[in-house]
Amino acid sequence: MVELLSPAGNFIALRSVLENGADATYIGLDDYNMRANANNFSFDDLKEVSKIAREYSAKTYLCTNIVLNENDAVKLQENLPLIAEADIDGLILSDIGLIEDTVDNGLEAHISVQENISNSFTLKTLKKLGAKRAILSRELSLDQIKKITENSPIETEVFVHGAMCMAISGRCFLSNALYGRSANCGDCLQPCRKNWTLSFDEDSEDNVSNITEIDDESFVISKSYDGSYRTNFFSPKDMCMIEYIPELIDAGIASFKIEGRGRSPDYAAKVTGIYRQAIDSYLEDSNNYSTDSKWVDELSEVFNRGFDTGFYFKIPFEKSEDNQSKYIKKDIGRVVNYYNKVKVAELKIHDDLKIGDKILIQGTTTGSREHIVDSMQIEGENIEEAPKGCNVAVALPFKARENDFLYKLIERDVND
């Protein structure tokens, strides 16, 4: 049975992915993971995280995948008993030197994509060291992954959805060179996602043609007509393998990983739910399986830079644009109360709300839930529209909690 592994950057995201069918979740710990700018969790949170996951019969993996200096390694080694005591299932390690200590503390050792594992010989060595699983390099094709997995003595894991990095398996020096903030220590400021201007100084010895005049999809740019070219050419599109679930499952991969601990809970919820549908549909009846056309449309509703299949089929297709999500998420209020008997939430709103609006409610226990408003009242009177600044009763098919966040999902203008 393939595992669906989803990201959780905070407690709201944790609950959201579990509610949407994640078999396991991976989280970050302050100072030890590749998303230092995400909310992350503290040591004091770990027991609660694993407890919540157990409610859904799900596993929890802790990312410790930065480049560890001597002091970092000693500190992590000393904290391994505390992590094990919190009932965490395993550690995602970028440093093979801590595999033995991890296993000795009763934790699974999963080797990070940062190790750029690209062949079965490495996997056999990792097996001898005690590793249970390895996340394979993102630069591998599906055929290569299948061959490696067939010859692997340990479990393999691959990324199937989310952001792709311009550097080899995320090992990049651009942020450190420009800002002194190291990507390899989890502090990347993502300069690759910005607009860049490429210029070219030509002299008499150069023999250069502008490839873009011949091939509009080429990455190769020598010189544009004004002497420069401004684009996001360092920033790949997001990976999306929803249309290739059968091929991934048939390759024998143990775990499908969704990237996104730095993204919002609604992103994590939506992506997890759709991949859950696809995986279950194929496993229930592989002979009659077909990709649902609505899956890609629904994935595009949350943050994305456009979709691509990465290196699974040779090379990524194109550079990315800015956020291509279908909706803008606008904070419009909070939940004041929820009345279980009548399934109605009282909302305090600071923006207009009307019948037909798509709303999003998020909370640490509620997770991330969407709803199209179909019934509203103020002081017992049915209304079509509620003005900002009021309290309004809205029928909800799910339970919300006091102080849950309330957002309105506004369809993005395609010309934005």
Side-chain angles (χ1 to χ4, degrees), residues 221-239:
I221 303 169
S222 58
K223 184 181 180 182
S224 66
Y225 302 111
D226 66 351
S228 67
Y229 192 87
R230 183 179 296 274
T231 183
N232 298 83
F233 52 76
F234 282 142
S235 180
K237 287 188 173 184
D238 285 357
M239 179 187 294

Side-chain angles (χ1 to χ4, degrees), residues 1-5 23 142 145-146 158-161 239-258 271-286 289-292 295-296 299 309 312-313:
M1 181 71 73
V2 66
E3 174 188 86
L4 179 59
L5 177 57
D23 298 305
L142 184 57
I145 290 169
K146 185 174 182 178
V158 297
F159 282 92
V160 296
H161 195 94
M239 179 187 294
C240 178
M241 290 294 289
I242 193 65
E243 297 177 291
Y244 301 95
I245 293 299
E247 291 87 343
L248 291 168
I249 292 177
D250 292 347
I253 301 159
S255 181
F256 294 172
K257 189 172 194 173
I258 296 167
V271 177
T272 298
I274 292 170
Y275 276 85
R276 179 78 278 157
Q277 290 178 48
I279 293 168
D280 289 349
S281 179
Y282 181 73
L283 293 177
E284 287 168 8
D285 188 359
S286 60
Y289 175 86
S290 63
T291 300
D292 193 326
W295 288 337
V296 175
L299 287 169
T309 54
Y312 278 103
F313 306 104

Side-chain angles (χ1 to χ4, degrees), residues 141-367:
S141 70
L142 184 57
D143 285 342
Q144 290 172 319
I145 290 169
K146 185 174 182 178
K147 290 176 183 177
I148 292 168
T149 300
E150 287 173 351
N151 294 309
S152 175
I154 62 175
E155 295 177 355
T156 59
E157 177 180 308
V158 297
F159 282 92
V160 296
H161 195 94
M164 291 192 293
C165 181
M166 66 173 233
I168 296 174
S169 294
R171 293 182 293 183
C172 181
F173 296 96
L174 191 58
S175 178
N176 197 34
L178 293 175
Y179 308 119
R181 305 278 288 273
S182 174
N184 303 298
C185 291
D187 201 17
C188 185
L189 293 186
Q190 296 191 322
C192 59
R193 305 297 183 188
K194 300 181 183 297
N195 272 319
W196 285 76
T197 300
L198 178 68
S199 61
F200 181 80
D201 294 325
E202 189 172 11
D203 61 36
S204 59
E205 301 299 319
D206 291 322
N207 182 17
V208 184
S209 63
N210 189 340
I211 305 299
T212 54
E213 293 180 295
I214 303 169
D215 178 5
D216 290 337
E217 294 187 357
S218 176
F219 277 98
V220 181
I221 303 169
S222 58
K223 184 181 180 182
S224 66
Y225 302 111
D226 66 351
S228 67
Y229 192 87
R230 183 179 296 274
T231 183
N232 298 83
F233 52 76
F234 282 142
S235 180
K237 287 188 173 184
D238 285 357
M239 179 187 294
C240 178
M241 290 294 289
I242 193 65
E243 297 177 291
Y244 301 95
I245 293 299
E247 291 87 343
L248 291 168
I249 292 177
D250 292 347
I253 301 159
S255 181
F256 294 172
K257 189 172 194 173
I258 296 167
E259 186 274 341
R261 280 186 297 116
R263 294 192 181 180
S264 63
D266 45 299
Y267 169 90
K270 176 79 72 176
V271 177
T272 298
I274 292 170
Y275 276 85
R276 179 78 278 157
Q277 290 178 48
I279 293 168
D280 289 349
S281 179
Y282 181 73
L283 293 177
E284 287 168 8
D285 188 359
S286 60
N287 292 328
N288 295 307
Y289 175 86
S290 63
T291 300
D292 193 326
S293 59
K294 72 179 182 181
W295 288 337
V296 175
D297 289 337
E298 291 180 4
L299 287 169
S300 69
E301 292 178 0
V302 290
F303 182 93
N304 68 87
R305 300 183 181 94
F307 294 134
D308 195 352
T309 54
F311 289 90
Y312 278 103
F313 306 104
K314 295 187 178 177
I315 60 172
F317 300 139
E318 300 177 39
K319 63 186 182 301
S320 74
E321 303 295 338
D322 294 329
N323 182 11
Q324 300 293 299
S325 64
K326 287 186 175 180
Y327 294 96
I328 298 169
K329 186 172 67 176
K330 184 178 184 181
D331 181 357
I332 66 164
R334 295 289 186 275
V335 175
V336 176
N337 206 341
Y338 184 80
Y339 302 95
N340 284 296
K341 288 185 178 181
V342 292
K343 298 185 183 302
V344 168
E346 181 184 353
L347 309 177
K348 175 68 175 178
I349 57 175
H350 50 253
D351 192 50
D352 295 340
L353 186 65
K354 64 181 184 298
I355 297 293
D357 279 346
K358 191 171 188 177
I359 60 173
L360 177 70
I361 294 177
Q362 293 182 347
T364 54
T365 302
T366 304

